[in-house]
C-alpha cells in the first residue's frame, strides 16, 4: 500500500456503486511515523474497533491514528452496512490513549439491554453476523425482522423505539432526527453501533431460532 490510499465509490479501493456512498470516503495515509484514518465524507460516520475492546466513532472531517495493527471499520451508507479490515504496521511507540469517541461527543457507555431488546438487535444484524469475511449486507425491514421472530409489527416497533431511545440517551448518534423525532435510518445505525461495539456477536444467533420456535407453539 502506498503512502495514501482512498476508499469509496470511486477511489483506490472501489467497494460499491452505492449512490449513498461518497466517491472518496476514507483515506488511509502515513504521517509522522504513524498510519492515520481520515473521514473525507460530509454526512457518514465510521465505527472503528481494534485491539482489546477499543472502539471509536470517526465523524465527518475527523481523523485518528491506527496503532493496533488490524482495525475493523464499519459504516452504513443508505440501506447497506459495510465492514472492512485495515492492516497497518504497529508503531514502536506506546499505545495512544484518549477519548473513546473521536467525533467530539461524549464517551459512549455500554447499554444495559433486556433479553428481548438484545434479540431485536440480533435479528436486525443477522445477515452481518452470519457472513464469513467482510463485505456488504442489507438490513431487514421491521416487518421482515418481526416475522423472523414471530412478533407482531406493533411489538417490534415498540421495542425498537425503546432501544433507540436508550441508546440516544447514552449519546449514540443516528437514533433521532431533528426535533427529537426518531430517525428513519435508525435500524442501520443501530446495527452499525451494536456490531462495532460488540454488543451482539455470532454467538447470539441461536436466540433467533429459539424465539421463533417459542412463538410458533402459541
Amino acid at each position: 500500500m502506498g503512502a495514501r490510499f482512498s476508499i469509496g465509490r470511486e477511489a483506490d479501493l472501489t467497494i460499491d456503486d452505492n449512490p449513498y456512498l461518497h466517491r472518496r470516503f476514507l483515506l488511509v495515509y502515513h504521517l509522522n511515523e504513524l498510519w492515520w484514518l481520515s473521514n473525507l465524507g460530509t454526512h457518514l460516520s465510521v465505527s472503528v474497533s481494534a485491539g482489546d475492546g477499543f472502539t471509536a466513532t470517526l465523524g465527518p472531517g475527523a481523523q485518528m491514528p491506527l496503532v493496533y495493527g488490524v482495525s475493523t471499520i464499519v459504516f452504513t451508507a443508505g440501506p447497506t452496512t459495510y465492514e472492512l479490515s485495515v492492516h497497518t504496521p504497529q508503531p514502536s511507540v506506546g499505545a495512544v490513549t484518549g477519548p473513546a469517541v473521536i467525533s467530539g461527543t461524549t464517551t459512549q457507555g455500554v447499554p444495559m439491554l433486556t433479553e428481548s431488546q438484545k434479540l431485536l438487535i440480533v435479528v436486525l444484524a443477522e445477515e452481518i453476523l452470519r457472513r464469513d469475511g467482510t463485505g456488504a449486507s442489507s438490513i431487514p425491514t421491521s416487518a421482515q425482522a418481526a416475522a423472523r421472530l414471530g412478533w407482531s409489527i406493533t411489538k417490534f416497533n415498540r421495542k425498537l423505539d425503546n432501544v433507540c431511545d436508550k441508546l440516544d440517551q447514552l449519546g449514540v448518534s443516528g437514533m433521532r432526527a431533528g426535533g427529537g423525532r426518531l430517525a428513519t435510518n435508525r435500524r442501520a445505525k443501530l446495527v452499525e453501533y451494536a456490531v462495532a461495539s460488540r454488543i451482539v456477536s455470532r454467538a447470539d444467533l441461536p436466540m433467533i431460532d429459539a424465539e421463533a420456535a417459542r412463538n410458533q407453539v402459541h
Side-chain angles (χ1 to χ4, degrees), residues 2-218:
R4 296 172 68 87
F5 187 81
S6 60
I7 301 169
R9 180 158 50 96
E10 298 175 8
D12 295 323
L13 174 60
T14 300
I15 59 176
D16 200 352
D17 60 358
N18 183 348
Y20 294 95
L21 181 64
H22 296 293
R23 288 180 172 84
R24 294 178 69 251
F25 176 40
L26 300 175
L27 180 68
V28 179
Y29 63 97
H30 193 257
L31 180 66
N32 295 330
E33 301 183 358
L34 288 174
W35 284 97
W36 294 76
L37 177 66
S38 178
N39 184 343
L40 305 177
T42 57
H43 62 275
L44 300 179
S45 294
V46 179
S47 296
V48 182
S49 60
D52 186 14
F54 172 83
T55 61
T57 299
L58 192 68
Q63 57 189 2
M64 64 176 290
L66 300 174
V67 298
Y68 287 95
V70 180
S71 301
T72 300
I73 299 170
V74 179
F75 57 90
T76 299
T80 307
T81 296
Y82 301 87
E83 179 182 322
L84 304 172
S85 291
V86 176
H87 297 248
T88 56
Q90 289 185 274
S92 58
V93 297
V96 175
T97 59
V101 179
I102 307 302
S103 59
T105 57
T106 57
T107 300
Q108 297 172 356
V110 178
M112 297 296 294
L113 300 173
T114 65
E115 181 178 353
S116 62
Q117 289 173 341
K118 183 173 183 178
L119 182 58
L120 178 142
I121 299 175
V122 173
V123 75
L124 288 175
E126 181 178 11
E127 184 178 337
I128 293 175
L129 296 175
R130 287 195 187 281
R131 73 168 184 248
D132 294 320
T134 58
S137 295
S138 298
I139 308 298
T141 65
S142 293
Q144 290 170 336
R148 179 79 173 89
L149 297 173
W151 291 0
S152 68
I153 188 64
T154 301
K155 176 180 178 179
F156 184 91
N157 284 333
R158 183 177 69 250
K159 291 187 180 295
L160 179 61
D161 290 346
N162 292 338
V163 171
C164 291
D165 185 62
K166 181 176 292 188
L167 294 181
D168 178 68
Q169 292 177 19
L170 288 174
V172 179
S173 62
M175 297 298 104
R176 291 191 177 276
R181 294 177 292 105
L182 291 169
T184 55
N185 64 340
R186 56 186 174 151
R187 287 177 294 106
K189 291 294 185 181
L190 174 58
V191 169
E192 176 185 322
Y193 170 78
V195 172
S197 303
R198 302 175 187 174
I199 293 174
V200 296
S201 69
R202 183 175 292 193
D204 298 316
L205 288 171
M207 296 174 64
I208 299 174
D209 289 333
E211 178 69 11
R214 280 194 298 267
N215 291 323
Q216 286 175 358
V217 173
H218 300 289

